[in-house]
């Protein structure tokens, strides 16, 4: 039924249902007339044609309008569940579902895959200094920037607050690093003006990649990107860092000592 709603207009469905009702009414009336009376007269034809023409449009129009309304509500709910209200990027659940599928395809097809974990630096200070509406504006503009740069090639999601992630299918480490740096530089050089307030945004980015020889699970890849992100923030922010187990271990040792 939903496919019909998407394919035809209300008037088209109304005409189609009315014609079907006329055909069915005539067919049913024909068999009844032949069985009980032995003939199907013009009066029978007119009766089985007029009644559907009068009744079906009234009933069908009400049902069609309700069906269209339900379909519209369903589309809106799906949109809310799929896309973040501010950034228009994928919501956490939608992103993770798409990311898992992309990860599985990369393993099956033995193609490269990279993940970026992003965090807007000192974002809380924007909310504290200018107000939450300024923070929302910054998130909106950041979402627009990410969408414009990623196009349809990459899967971009808001994981929560000022935390984001991007899946780069069929993308090796070098290309992922270049994209991360390009995005970081674009953001750093963007000056946002909101209610006369000048907002400067920077981001720290962690990068991990799929090992085709010993493929990590998606969760492991995301953890690696998060650890690289953490290292980027601990070593000055506004930079992109590639996951390196030895580098992470060394930093952890320095932090604990």
């Amino acid at each position: 039924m939903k496919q019909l709603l998407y394919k035809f207009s209300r008037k088209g469905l109304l005409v189609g249902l009315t014609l079907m009702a006329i055909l069915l009414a005539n067919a049913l009336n024909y068999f009844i007339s032949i069985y009980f009376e032995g003939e199907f007269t013009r009066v029978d034809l007119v009766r089985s044609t007029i009644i559907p023409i009068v009744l079906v449009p009234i009933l069908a129009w009400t049902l069609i309008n309700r069906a269209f309304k339900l379909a519209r509500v369903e589309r809106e709910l799906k949109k809310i569940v799929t896309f973040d209200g501010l950034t228009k990027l994928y919501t956490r659940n939608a992103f993770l579902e798409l990311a898992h599928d992309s990860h599985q395809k990369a393993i099956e097809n033995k193609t490269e895959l990279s993940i970026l974990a992003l965090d807007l630096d000192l974002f809380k200070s924007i909310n504290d200094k200018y107000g939450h509406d300024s923070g929302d504006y910054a998130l909106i503009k950041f979402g627009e920037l990410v969408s414009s740069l990623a196009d349809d090639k990459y899967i971009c999601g808001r994981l929560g607050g000022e935390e984001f992630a991007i899946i780069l299918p069929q993308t090796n480490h070098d290309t992922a690093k270049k994209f991360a740096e390009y995005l970081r530089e674009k953001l750093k050089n963007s000056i946002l003006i909101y209610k006369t307030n000048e907002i400067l945004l920077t981001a720290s980015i962690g990068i991990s990649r799929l090992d085709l020889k010993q493929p990590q699970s998606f969760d492991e890849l995301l953890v690696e990107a998060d650890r690289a992100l953490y290292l980027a923030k601990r070593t000055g922010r506004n930079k992109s860092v590639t996951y390196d187990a030895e580098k992470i271990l060394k930093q952890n040792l320095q932090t604990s000592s």
Side-chain angles (χ1 to χ4, degrees):
M1 184 63 182
K2 285 192 295 184
Q3 298 302 323
L4 287 175
L5 294 179
Y6 296 143
K7 190 173 182 179
F8 298 103
S9 65
R10 285 178 171 83
K11 291 182 180 179
L13 283 172
L14 182 64
V15 171
L17 289 173
T18 303
L19 291 176
M20 286 178 60
I22 292 172
L23 290 174
L24 289 172
N26 275 295
L28 182 62
N29 196 23
Y30 173 81
F31 286 112
I32 292 174
S33 298
I34 294 296
Y35 184 80
F36 288 103
E37 301 173 6
E39 64 177 340
F40 183 66
T41 65
R42 289 184 179 180
V43 174
D44 295 324
L45 176 63
V46 171
R47 183 169 58 236
S48 57
T49 300
I50 294 298
I51 292 175
I53 289 178
V54 173
L55 294 180
V56 170
I58 298 173
L59 297 173
W61 188 251
T62 301
L63 293 175
I64 289 171
N65 278 332
R66 289 184 178 180
F68 267 90
K69 187 177 292 185
L70 287 173
R72 185 171 64 252
V73 170
E74 184 180 341
R75 286 197 301 269
E76 289 300 319
L77 288 174
K78 185 177 181 181
K79 185 178 179 181
I80 292 171
V81 171
T82 304
F83 297 102
D84 176 62
L86 282 176
T87 64
K88 308 306 178 186
L89 305 177
Y90 286 111
T91 59
R92 181 184 182 88
N93 288 338
F95 170 81
L96 292 177
E97 183 178 343
L98 292 170
H100 277 285
D101 290 342
S102 184
H103 172 261
Q104 189 60 37
K105 288 178 182 177
I107 293 177
E108 292 174 355
N109 300 326
K110 298 187 184 302
T111 54
E112 294 182 287
L113 177 84
S114 297
I115 297 180
L116 305 185
L118 305 90
D119 192 282
L120 297 179
D121 298 324
L122 304 173
F123 186 76
K124 185 176 181 298
S125 64
I126 296 175
N127 288 328
D128 293 341
K129 187 175 181 180
Y130 303 118
H132 287 275
D133 55 341
S134 295
D136 288 346
Y137 176 76
L139 288 172
I140 291 171
K141 303 309 288 186
F142 178 71
E144 291 176 356
L145 174 64
V146 171
S147 296
S148 66
L149 297 183
D151 201 12
D152 295 327
K153 298 181 296 182
Y154 305 142
I155 303 168
C156 310
R158 183 186 181 191
L159 302 187
E162 65 272 20
E163 299 175 6
F164 301 84
I166 302 176
I167 299 296
L168 295 79
Q170 300 181 0
T171 303
N172 59 31
H173 168 262
D174 291 338
T175 303
K177 178 71 173 178
K178 289 178 182 177
F179 177 77
E181 279 297 296
Y182 183 61
L183 171 59
R184 188 187 62 78
E185 285 289 334
K186 275 281 188 179
L187 181 63
K188 185 186 71 171
N189 294 325
S190 299
I191 300 176
L192 308 180
I193 305 296
Y194 183 73
K195 293 182 178 178
T196 71
N197 296 319
E198 185 178 284
I199 303 173
L200 301 178
L201 280 179
T202 62
S204 297
I205 306 174
I207 308 168
S208 65
R209 64 183 180 86
L210 183 66
D211 186 342
L212 295 177
K213 294 180 180 179
Q214 294 182 317
Q216 313 94 309
S217 69
F218 172 76
D219 291 338
E220 289 172 334
L221 269 176
L222 194 55
V223 167
E224 290 178 0
D226 279 334
R227 288 177 176 171
L229 168 61
Y230 180 74
L231 182 58
K233 296 187 79 68
R234 288 299 301 270
T235 55
R237 301 187 181 88
N238 189 29
K239 62 170 65 175
S240 62
V241 172
T242 300
Y243 175 78
D244 183 313
E246 292 183 6
K247 188 187 296 183
I248 298 293
L249 178 61
K250 182 179 179 182
Q251 178 65 25
N252 288 339
L253 290 174
Q254 290 176 349
T255 302
S256 61
S257 61

